[in-house]
Amino acid sequence: MEVVKSKNFKEPIVLTKILDDGRLLIVDAKTTIRFLDKDSLDLLNGFKANIAHERYKSTVVQFSSDGKYFASLSADCKESRLYNAETKKAITKVDRHQGEASCVGISTDNKFMFSCGDDGKTFAVDMESGKLAFTLPVHVDTVNDIAFSSNGNWVATCSYDKKISIFHLAMMTPKHKLKAHAAAVMKVSFIGQNRLVSVDRNAKAIIWDIYSGKILMRLEGVHDDVTQITTAQDNKFLFLGTALGYILVYDLATYEQLSRKYIKLQSPITALVFDEENRHLIISCQNGDILFYDIYEGEAHITTLLKEKKYELIEAHVKTNPILGYTKIYELVSNLWENTLKKAKICLQKGDKAGAITLFSFFKNIPSKNRVMQKIITEYIDFPKFLELAKQGKIVLAYGVVNMHPLYKESSVYKSLEERWRKAFALAQKHSLQPKGMDTAREILAPYRGISEKTILMQELFAKGEIYKRFKVAIGQKDFKISFELTKLHPFLQEFPEYGTILNYADSLYMKSQELINGGNPNQAVKMLRVLADFPDFSAEVKELMKEIEFKKKFFDAVASNNRTVAYNMLDMSDDLLNTSDGQRLQQQWNSDLAEANSFAVEGYSKGIEDALKEYMKISSKYMAIGTVFGWCYMIQLEKAVEGKKDQRYIEDGIKNYILNFGLQDQILSFYEIFIVKYPESKLNFELLTKGSLSMWRPTMIIESILD
């Protein structure tokens, strides 16, 4: 792979990001921040934060996608800080970790900055106010990485405790603690289609389903420490960057490793991002290099080679850059190869070996294809014998040759034999149903005695004529469940024309149901799917489709009837509903109302929160999110009470009330450390207090002040 363009910044690059407005952001280990033109790499503007990062395996600096905010660990890693990138001023800091801060993150929607620590804790800070908003589920060891889904609904953290924690940001609820790694989990990343990839320090990588929490695949071929992860072409490819400077690439449809050494650099990879617009993989390194690679390098050249019929050179290019195998131009090469195979087989069936060799000549120097060609030529050595036996009517011997050479089943001669068999069997079936027609049926099928696969069907036909009658009646009554149960018990029924008819009927039902679903007519689709559910090949898919249709129908009915409770509860259960116009409208309304509530929480004004979120007080899926906002509000009230030097007993009552409502959260424990400094005579004993929990919080527990 050749570098398209490059630039060196002397210091290690710790962050590379394409911002919403198309600018390329580069941050080095000394937190020198540069905004570049993505195409020319010209410097547009920038500034120095002068924070030196000695370690940067984890995310030590992160920017909001709009470029307005950035978060950074302090040089000594004792705290994390949030800055306004436009004013260059600090908004807030998180110094509550017991030990060092380990990494930072900023949510996809640019609302929250996250600070992760060696204590396993992750604090979420509202970026607009700089106030602590909530905490994520705690790990029992250092948090190594944090990642966010593209839709902003999910956040994941991974840790030395070998676990991955998934949290639903929209609902403010924990989803999973994923456990399968045998070593510390070092990197985690969402990769689209409700999937997550995680990599541990033993270089073991796992793909997860974030809804079920189940393992989809364990990736093969990871050979050293993975330092960076990104996806490309709408999550079609997965790229892993390593400490030894390798780029590994995987097909995310099959999870096949396409290359262990897609790119090899001399410096550890410290940042990795994909530019969808230009199809460039942007790699940043410890030596300060930023390198651009076209992942479809060579596409224009193989187009030229295709015109020149230089297929050997095309294969060599695809071997060097396996992603070329996914291009439309290579699809033409693949189709050409398949057509060549078909034509060569026809030549061999006609005894024209020279013609087949001529057709194969364009591909003869490609080892993988040459092996296929040689095998086919060898296979067709006995084809003249098969042809002669078929012409002489020696059917049993002809089928015997086919059993030794299955490729012959593709020939027109074999297909003709099979057509004769089907006609003979259908005629025998007809006679077998007549009172005295069994002898005639046996006579019709006599030439096929001795062909094992035919003999079994013949024996069943002669012995079970009544079964066919039941089969035919079931089809006539459209009782497909009985039809397939009979077919399962008696495979000979598959030879009847009626069996092919019902299979074609199933295909037409499926196609029509898909048209109705895509056309916005799910009710009619359900009627067809209920029939299709009796067909074994479709039953599992139909079950899922009907469940999805019924779920969406219930959601749209709830929206139409203005039943916000049902609509939001369902919306919070399904990311797919968020892709609908109704789902997006409801989510935007919630985001707007929640933002208003957050503004009141920052002021400690609970009545404002209650008014802003009054429409959601009966929606159970929102309880934890609403409770989080009120918890935040009450913490502000407690902080203001300490700042105002209120009476010790008055503040202690507030602490007790908070713990009664929300339990011993990190927020109250951190606040208590501040409180006890100001009020050293306090004798509060948390062990003796009644403790609630956020998961049990309900809107009926709302009070105007936590101090009352």
Side-chain angles (χ1 to χ4, degrees):
M1 297 290 288
E2 297 293 328
V3 178
V4 175
K5 55 188 173 183
S6 65
K7 201 157 188 171
N8 182 271
F9 296 98
K10 297 182 181 179
E11 297 293 335
I13 307 299
V14 299
L15 177 65
T16 305
K17 191 180 184 84
I18 298 173
L19 301 178
D20 294 340
D21 60 9
R23 288 180 297 167
L24 180 64
L25 169 73
I26 302 294
V27 183
D28 67 23
K30 290 186 177 179
T31 323
T32 301
I33 295 158
R34 299 175 176 90
F35 298 94
L36 307 181
D37 181 283
K38 188 176 62 175
D39 298 319
S40 67
L41 299 186
D42 290 339
L43 180 66
L44 301 175
N45 50 55
F47 58 93
K48 294 182 179 182
N50 294 320
I51 305 169
H53 298 284
E54 297 297 327
R55 61 184 192 189
Y56 35 80
K57 282 188 176 181
S58 61
T59 306
V60 295
V61 178
Q62 188 55 271
F63 255 78
S64 60
S65 63
D66 57 13
K68 293 180 180 179
Y69 300 93
F70 75 95
S72 174
L73 299 185
S74 59
D76 59 7
C77 297
K78 296 298 183 185
E79 61 190 31
S80 55
R81 300 166 184 164
L82 175 65
Y83 296 87
N84 184 312
E86 295 175 344
T87 65
K88 317 298 187 294
K89 293 181 179 180
I91 296 172
T92 191
K93 65 180 179 180
V94 178
D95 56 2
R96 303 184 179 204
H97 292 292
Q98 296 173 351
E100 296 183 344
S102 56
C103 59
V104 292
I106 291 178
S107 60
T108 309
D109 57 11
N110 301 327
K111 287 183 178 178
F112 300 107
M113 168 258 197
F114 291 81
S115 175
C116 310
D118 289 351
D119 54 3
K121 295 178 181 178
T122 301
F123 296 100
V125 174
D126 177 75
M127 294 209 300
E128 188 172 340
S129 67
K131 298 291 185 179
L132 179 65
F134 58 93
T135 60
L136 295 183
V138 178
H139 289 275
V140 297
D141 208 333
T142 301
V143 179
N144 293 318
D145 197 14
I146 184 167
F148 305 90
S149 63
S150 58
N151 62 13
N153 282 350
W154 303 93
V155 56
T157 54
C158 63
S159 168
Y160 264 99
D161 65 8
K162 306 175 188 177
K163 298 180 181 66
I164 301 133
S165 175
I166 300 181
F167 187 85
H168 198 296
L169 280 172
M171 295 176 64
M172 287 294 169
T173 54
K175 179 67 174 178
H176 294 295
K177 276 279 189 181
L178 305 178
K179 308 171 186 176
H181 285 282
V185 188
M186 307 306 292
K187 301 298 295 183
V188 65
S189 180
F190 289 90
I191 56 174
Q193 297 178 319
N194 303 319
R195 294 174 296 175
L196 184 83
V197 59
S198 58
V199 188
D200 64 33
R201 69 184 307 172
N202 289 343
K204 302 298 181 184
I206 297 175
I207 306 288
W208 306 83
D209 182 298
I210 62 175
Y211 277 114
S212 67
K214 294 181 179 178
I215 294 174
L216 295 174
M217 181 64 66
R218 291 180 182 270
L219 298 183
E220 299 293 333
V222 183
H223 47 69
D224 69 289
D225 292 344
V226 172
T227 55
Q228 295 295 322
I229 301 171
T230 195
T231 60
Q233 294 291 272
D234 295 325
N235 298 302
K236 190 171 185 177
F237 304 111
L238 171 69
F239 292 94
L240 304 180
T242 77
L244 295 180
Y246 287 97
I247 294 289
L248 291 67
V249 60
Y250 293 82
D251 178 340
L252 279 178
T254 63
Y255 304 115
E256 174 192 1
Q257 186 180 68
L258 302 180
S259 176
R260 295 186 65 188
K261 300 177 181 179
Y262 184 65
I263 297 169
K264 174 64 175 84
L265 304 175
Q266 299 304 311
S267 180
I269 293 163
T270 53
L272 200 60
V273 69
F274 186 73
D275 177 8
E276 292 281 352
E277 182 183 5
N278 294 320
R279 307 190 312 182
H280 286 165
L281 182 65
I282 306 173
I283 307 171
S284 299
C285 302
Q286 186 171 291
N287 64 6
D289 281 341
I290 176 168
L291 308 166
F292 292 70
Y293 290 87
D294 178 4
I295 66 168
Y296 290 102
E297 176 188 289
E299 185 175 10
H301 189 48
I302 66 170
T303 302
T304 302
L305 292 173
L306 177 60
K307 293 176 182 177
E308 297 172 355
K309 297 184 178 181
K310 295 180 179 179
Y311 306 125
E312 178 187 357
L313 294 178
I314 292 175
E315 289 295 327
H317 273 73
V318 173
K319 189 174 181 180
T320 301
N321 181 9
I323 291 179
L324 290 175
Y326 295 80
T327 59
K328 289 183 178 180
I329 192 67
Y330 188 74
E331 186 179 341
L332 293 176
V333 177
S334 298
N335 292 338
L336 185 61
W337 164 245
E338 293 299 325
N339 289 332
T340 299
L341 281 180
K342 290 177 183 178
K343 291 177 181 178
K345 288 174 184 177
I346 291 171
C347 285
L348 291 169
Q349 290 164 19
K350 293 178 179 179
D352 184 8
K353 182 178 178 181
I357 291 173
T358 300
L359 286 167
F360 282 148
S361 62
F362 291 110
F363 298 93
K364 66 180 181 180
N365 293 324
I366 303 172
S368 60
K369 290 181 169 48
N370 191 49
R371 286 192 292 271
V372 173
M373 294 185 291
Q374 292 302 322
K375 182 179 179 181
I376 289 173
I377 290 170
T378 302
E379 276 284 299
Y380 272 93
I381 288 175
D382 286 337
F383 192 82
K385 178 181 176 182
F386 163 67
L387 190 61
E388 187 62 29
L389 290 171
K391 285 180 180 178
Q392 293 175 3
K394 297 179 180 179
I395 297 174
V396 176
L397 295 175
Y399 271 96
V401 174
V402 171
N403 287 336
M404 290 188 290
H405 303 284
L407 273 180
Y408 296 179
K409 290 182 179 181
E410 298 176 16
S411 69
S412 59
V413 177
Y414 177 79
K415 290 174 183 176
S416 176
L417 289 177
E418 282 291 278
E419 183 59 29
R420 284 169 58 188
W421 154 255
R422 279 190 290 271
K423 288 179 179 178
F425 194 75
L427 184 60
Q429 288 165 349
K430 182 178 178 180
H431 283 283
S432 70
L433 298 176
Q434 297 173 1
K436 297 181 180 179
M438 195 58 73
D439 288 341
T440 303
R442 286 192 173 92
E443 186 178 342
I444 291 169
L445 297 178
Y448 297 94
R449 291 172 187 165
I451 303 173
S452 57
E453 64 269 27
K454 310 295 186 193
T455 302
I456 294 171
L457 297 172
M458 289 156 53
Q459 289 173 345
E460 287 189 330
L461 174 65
F462 300 147
K464 302 173 182 177
E466 286 300 316
I467 293 170
Y468 171 63
K469 293 178 184 178
R470 287 174 59 195
F471 177 64
K472 195 169 182 178
V473 169
I475 292 174
Q477 296 174 345
K478 292 190 175 181
D479 192 339
F480 300 115
K481 194 169 186 178
I482 293 295
S483 300
F484 281 106
E485 285 176 359
L486 286 169
T487 304
K488 186 177 180 180
L489 291 171
H490 309 288
F492 79 96
L493 293 173
Q494 295 179 19
E495 294 295 321
F496 284 78
E498 289 87 350
Y499 182 75
T501 301
I502 60 174
L503 291 183
N504 292 334
Y505 179 60
D507 289 338
S508 66
L509 277 179
Y510 181 79
M511 296 299 293
K512 185 62 178 176
S513 68
Q514 292 300 303
E515 289 175 10
L516 291 169
I517 291 170
N518 295 330
N521 196 349
N523 292 333
Q524 289 298 317
V526 167
K527 292 179 182 178
M528 292 188 174
L529 290 172
R530 283 176 181 151
V531 176
L532 200 56
D534 289 336
F535 290 75
D537 289 346
F538 293 95
S539 58
E541 185 176 354
V542 165
K543 187 177 180 180
E544 290 301 315
L545 277 173
M546 289 183 67
K547 191 187 298 182
E548 182 181 334
I549 290 171
E550 293 293 345
F551 187 78
K552 286 185 176 179
K553 183 178 182 300
K554 186 177 178 182
F555 171 72
F556 292 130
D557 288 346
V559 172
S561 61
N562 201 30
N563 189 337
R564 291 164 61 89
T565 301
V566 171
Y568 270 109
N569 279 331
M570 296 184 72
L571 187 64
D572 289 333
M573 292 168 59
S574 169
D575 279 2
D576 288 338
L577 292 178
L578 279 172
N579 295 324
T580 65
S581 58
D582 285 329
Q584 290 171 0
R585 179 176 55 79
L586 287 175
Q587 188 64 25
Q588 287 168 4
Q589 184 62 56
W590 161 252
N591 290 341
S592 175
D593 293 338
L594 184 62
E596 184 181 356
N598 287 342
S599 68
F600 290 122
V602 174
E603 302 300 323
Y605 182 38
S606 63
K607 186 65 172 62
I609 299 172
E610 194 169 2
D611 290 341
L613 300 180
K614 62 184 177 182
E615 297 293 331
Y616 306 93
M617 293 300 176
K618 293 182 180 179
I619 302 173
S620 59
S621 66
K622 299 296 186 190
Y623 286 172
M624 287 190 72
I626 296 171
T628 299
V629 180
F630 274 100
W632 180 9
C633 172
Y634 296 147
M635 286 304 309
I636 299 296
Q637 291 177 355
L638 287 168
E639 290 172 2
K640 285 184 175 182
V642 170
E643 290 171 4
K645 299 180 180 179
K646 298 295 184 181
D647 182 72
Q648 175 180 312
R649 188 177 296 275
Y650 181 61
I651 299 174
E652 286 178 343
D653 287 343
I655 294 172
K656 291 175 185 177
N657 289 336
Y658 188 96
I659 293 172
L660 179 63
N661 279 287
F662 303 104
L664 284 174
Q665 292 186 326
D666 292 321
Q667 293 96 314
I668 196 67
L669 293 173
S670 297
F671 168 77
Y672 182 73
E673 294 175 5
I674 298 169
F675 167 76
I676 201 66
V677 171
K678 298 288 182 71
Y679 298 86
E681 295 179 1
S682 175
K683 303 298 182 184
L684 265 183
N685 186 339
F686 288 170
E687 295 297 323
L688 302 177
L689 298 180
T690 303
K691 303 172 185 65
S693 69
L694 180 59
S695 63
M696 297 301 293
W697 185 91
R698 297 294 181 268
T700 54
M701 299 163 68
I702 293 172
I703 51 179
E704 187 170 343
S705 173
I706 200 71
L707 296 149
D708 295 335

